[in-house]
Amino acid sequence: MSYDMIEFTRDGHVAKIRLNRPKALNALCNNMMNEVMQALSELESDDSIHCVILTGSDKAFAAGADIKEMQENQYLDIYKNDPFEKYAGAIERFRKPIIAAVSGYALGGGCEIAMMCDFIIAADNAKFGQPEITLAVMPGIGGTQRLTRAVGKAKAMDLCLTGRMMGAEEAERAGLVSRIVPLDELQDVAEEAARKIAAQSLPIAMMTKETINVAFETTLQQGIKFERRLFQSMFTTEDQKEGMAAFVEKRKPHFKNK
Ligand code: DAK
């Protein structure tokens, strides 16, 4: 498939999806989101890919769902087609590690999509927000839930009820982003992080991701049990034997992803 609205590149075990509708500040139109879905589906089944970066332009990660495309929708259009269920599901259900590298605006659906990734690395010019209330709607692809879990009730209420934007430093203080880097270093830092992840055993990285995500879905005791079972299962892998042998023999591990 050819891609018009995203740039889709692979470098070794790392793939990058760059949202690329600069004139619309990467507003999430259906065509672009279909391309993101297609790219993720290719990457899920490509064994050579171990980690993915989702990013945008310097000015905008994504300024939200495409308001122009959405404005005339009627309730039944949105209810029956439920486009964001499809698009969000493709990111939510993506099983390999995926990093959001965010510069500029990450607003509305843009912020929600960044939050669906495993973690966010932010450039110092990043601005996060859920301004839907200013359009007389509210976040609709998980923003009220994920933002609240990430930053707590007070800040989530503040952001969703006022529609104000939050800069990178505030976002890091609040726990929404894992680190802030200068804008001109964002892609390098994200790629370095992705390469580090990609150098680990892929199944172990996938199990680690799955287990952390369980923390949001269940009780502490059930989560700890889930962790213990998957931890035990890791001792069936060749990579666990190799990782520990390499440490003991003071050499680099050579994982086979088995
Ligand atoms: N949609 C469509 N076009 C957008 C856009 C958006 N979200 N954001 C920006 N653009 C377009 C502008 O219309 C403008 O186009 P032209 O006028 O040049 O044709 C171009 O991008 C440049 O924007 P500005 O001229 O406004 O640029 P500024 O630097 O002055 O301002 C801004 C940047 C990001 C502050 C401003 O563009 C802005 O406020 N944008 C809107 C931000 C926003 O409200 N985002 C939330 C969108 S609502 C659903 C679930 C969820 C959702 C939808 C459905 N279902 C379950 C069905 C999600 C909803 C949302 O995300």
Side-chain angles (χ1 to χ4, degrees), residues 23-25 27 59 63-68 70 78 84 108-109 131 135 140:
K23 287 188 183 147
L25 302 183
K59 184 161 183 199
D66 190 318
I67 300 166
K68 294 166 191 169
M70 164 172 72
I78 297 209
F84 277 92
L135 306 167

Side-chain angles (χ1 to χ4, degrees), residues 162-220:
T162 67
R164 78 172 174 90
M165 293 183 210
M166 159 168 88
E169 281 189 13
E170 185 181 354
E172 190 190 31
R173 268 201 313 276
L176 182 65
V177 311
S178 70
R179 28 181 155 157
I180 306 174
V181 298
L183 174 59
D184 60 0
E185 292 173 22
L186 176 67
Q187 297 303 325
D188 287 346
V189 172
E191 285 165 21
E192 193 194 334
R195 276 195 300 272
K196 268 199 180 150
I197 294 168
Q200 315 305 326
S201 164
L202 175 61
I204 302 296
M206 290 171 67
M207 288 184 203
T208 305
K209 163 176 173 153
E210 185 180 357
T211 306
I212 291 174
N213 281 331
V214 164
F216 295 98
E217 309 287 347
T218 189
T219 65
L220 179 61

